[in-house]
Amino acid sequence: MTSLASPINHTSNSMTLQHPQLKAWVDQTAALTGAAEVVWCTGSDAEWNSLTSLLVERGTFIRLNPEKHPNSFLARSHESDTARVEDRTFICSLREVDAGPTNNWRNPSDMRDMMTEKFRGSMQGRTLYVVPFCMGPLDSPLALIGVQLTDSPYVVVSMKIMCHMGEKVLQRLTADRSYIPCLHSLGAPLKPGQADVAWPCNDEKYIVHFPEAREVWSYGSGYGGNALLGKKCVALRIASSIARDEGWLAEHMLIMGLESPDGTKTYLTAAFPSACGKTNLAMIVPPDQYREQGWKTTLVGDDIAWLWPGKSGRLHAINPETGFFGVAPGTSWQSNSGAMEAMSANTIFTNVGLTDDGCVWWEGLSDPPAHLIDWKGKDWTPGCGRLAAHPNSRFTAPAGQCPNIDPNWQDPEGVPIDAIVFGGRRPSTMPLIYQSFDWTHGVFLGATQGSETTAAATGTVGTVRRDPMAMLPFCGYNMGDYFGHWLDMRKQIRRLPRIFHVNWFRKDTEGKFLWPGFRENLRVLDWIVKRCQGRVAGYETPIGWTPDWKGFNTEGLEGFTRERFDAIMLFRQEDWLAELTSQTDLFLKLYHTMPKELMCQRELLMARLV
Ligand code: GTP
Ligand code: SPV
Ligand code: MN
């Protein structure tokens, strides 16, 4: 880390700045925000040590038990800053129609004027950190370089885990190469002598994207996708817009590999909405019976996939991130041992409980300790009626620490994809698994996918929130045009992936999950792989191809009877008619840009149902 007394002087001992435009932008921002100093981040371990120590000193971080959690820290955020803020997220394209009805649109020049005033003086008394970062393997042709200017050291250390950052990125940022400017401020200036707080932020938040200019401005929040701008802002919202122009896809998807006993490796991606199980599936450990037979799983990514037609004629995928920002509650050695190993060192925990021996705890990890300090910093005992960890508490851990990270996870050529899986939480209607008839039908499945609110304790159908391709909060342009782009991709791919829909969350009339889920989901992946290889029959139903009892492996799955299988695969005409009716809202909302192919798919489904 090179600390500079004056924001005007940008030379440093170890780094050479080759980009005059970047230097000018940093100077301009330092002047606008009134930052006390400018620091160019190198991404070195020494920098990590000095910043984490600084955060401990300031009370933002608590150093965890060094034996049980080496080089790991706990942060507690402000109670008003615990998740992404979708209603404060804006897509400022030149024309309103290019943002579309599913995004908040503002006129870009009005927004720039307004945001400039927000940033004026916003870093007074704070350090402006310059964080050059790269989403994607460093030398991948798809890699996107960004530079985040931030007044949050928590963001700097988080970025070191989540992406390539610092000197190695700056070296690649030659004067002829463009970068995505990402301006971030907590919006909490310090007057001379004013004491700082543990988690500075502002009540007013703005997460702003300029898709044509390829630029991000984020104000007021220090948490997750609001503040680690490489993730949702760049790798999804801005990247989706670039991808449309350049003929590829930026998706909210996990990427994983499955090796069957004969040594064949199949890679798949899956798009589930936030907190619907991407991290769990990405790190799945095969059930014992499968492991004994020689099945292996590998992980490429748990949240974001960039897909493009590769040289092999197939769709190839890379994970643009290098870390996990995973939901903590519910994660345990039983539910996800891969995640537990990944977070065993060099990890930042945010908003979880702190035990008396300096370890972390959250609901679902283990039997609760007799006493701990909860995420709000208060004493907590089992049965006190409060949660120890915030439901959106997270661990930030290096992906390379996951024991089954795929050997090719940083390959610039990516991995070839054979299957794409859509899904969500659907207490009713949706079977455990079905396969689309073809690519266009598969795009229809993704476009209409949703997650239900869990009114299903009574077995009634809850309201469905449509979350097309799990991209509702992340698509940087008009959702109808996005569907059109997906449909067009078909022409660029010689060997098309097969498309599936899964539902781990179907419930019985008593509100209990019909499917054990977690590791047992491998049985569903097994059927998917066999379908891709043409090794198992599918049964044509009005909604798509489905497995039958014999073609689906339930061996060793205790209590999973034929009756249970039929219940989880049950097709009820009345549910599907209600499903079609509830999809109408989406079709009406996107009426002006909805591709005619998807209108036709809807008609065909209707015709098959009645
Ligand atoms: P984001 O990081 O927000 O994008 O979410 P994600 O899709 O990675 O979600 P994550 O894997 O963190 O989902 C966690 C939630 O899904 C927890 O509540 C888990 O208990 C639940 N979950 C994951 N897999 C299963 C499953 O197979 N069955 C059931 N019933 N729940 C599951
Ligand atoms: C999500 O909400 O889908 C996340 C968490 O992955 S955040 O990075 O905060 O958006
Ligand atoms: Mn996500």
Side-chain angles (χ1 to χ4, degrees), residues 161-162 223 279 283 302 323-329 331 336 338-340 342-343 347-350 352 362 392-398:
I161 297 175
M162 294 306 296
Y223 199 86
T279 302
M283 297 175 193
D302 81 324
F324 309 125
F325 183 64
V327 177
T331 311
N336 193 340
M340 296 301 293
M343 64 173 100
T347 295
I348 301 165
F349 297 89
T350 308
V352 301
W362 48 79
N392 191 42
S393 56
R394 302 231 171 202
F395 56 87
T396 310

Side-chain angles (χ1 to χ4, degrees), residues 12 148 159 174 229 344 351 357 373 453 507 530 549 570 587:
S12 72
Q148 179 164 352
M159 291 286 279
T174 44
L229 301 186
S344 60
N351 289 342
D357 59 346
I373 305 294
T453 55
K507 291 184 173 175
K530 288 202 187 98
W549 171 246
L570 182 69
F587 279 81

Side-chain angles (χ1 to χ4, degrees), residues 252 274-280 303 327 394 425 505 517-518 521:
H252 192 202
S274 301
C276 285
K278 284 185 302 299
T279 302
N280 274 282
D303 196 47
V327 177
R394 302 231 171 202
R425 284 175 194 264
F505 301 92
F518 300 98
N521 293 337

Side-chain angles (χ1 to χ4, degrees), residues 195-217:
D196 205 354
V197 293
W199 188 274
C201 63
N202 195 299
D203 283 343
E204 214 182 349
K205 298 176 180 27
Y206 287 90
I207 320 298
V208 180
H209 308 73
F210 300 97
E212 287 106 349
R214 319 266 198 239
E215 216 174 310
V216 180
W217 294 42

Side-chain angles (χ1 to χ4, degrees), residues 18-63:
Q18 312 170 67
H19 216 293
Q21 206 189 328
L22 171 59
K23 182 182 176 303
W25 177 56
V26 173
D27 281 344
Q28 221 175 20
T29 305
L32 174 69
T33 60
E37 60 167 347
V38 172
V39 167
W40 288 73
C41 296
T42 62
S44 69
D45 292 342
E47 176 181 274
W48 163 278
N49 290 338
S50 91
L51 284 179
T52 52
S53 302
L54 178 78
L55 284 158
V56 169
E57 220 171 277
R58 287 194 187 163
T60 308
F61 271 0
I62 295 166
R63 190 181 293 275

